[in-house]
Amino acid sequence: MNKLPALFALCALASLAAGCSTQTAYYSGQGWQRQQCFKIEDMQQRQRCLKSASTSHEDYQREVEALPSRP
């Protein structure tokens, strides 16, 4: 079952009451991704998945800002 849409919906509702920041949403999604990584049986694939799920929000923001802007 894909829980990511429910997670974002929950965050959207929380933002109305408590101000769910993009950073909070990012780390929530990252936690979900890590849970999915642990379901991978192949250890090398699992390690690659976990490494991908370990990018800090700051590093992610830098990567996004470095992308060429769309016209």
Side-chain angles (χ1 to χ4, degrees):
M1 180 178 180
N2 190 345
K3 296 179 183 176
L4 193 55
L7 178 65
F8 284 119
L10 179 62
C11 189
L13 289 173
S15 70
L16 296 174
C20 183
S21 70
T22 57
Q23 186 174 7
T24 302
Y26 176 80
Y27 284 121
S28 294
Q30 206 175 39
W32 175 85
Q33 185 180 1
R34 276 193 211 97
Q35 288 178 344
Q36 299 304 305
C37 293
F38 286 114
K39 294 178 181 179
I40 299 172
E41 292 185 26
D42 181 70
M43 187 165 57
Q44 289 179 336
Q45 287 181 337
R46 185 181 326 118
Q47 292 301 323
R48 282 193 297 270
C49 182
L50 288 168
K51 183 178 178 186
S52 172
S54 302
T55 304
S56 72
H57 185 259
E58 293 78 18
D59 288 342
Y60 169 76
Q61 285 292 95
R62 279 191 286 275
E63 290 174 15
V64 168
E65 291 169 3
L67 292 174
S69 60
R70 293 182 182 178

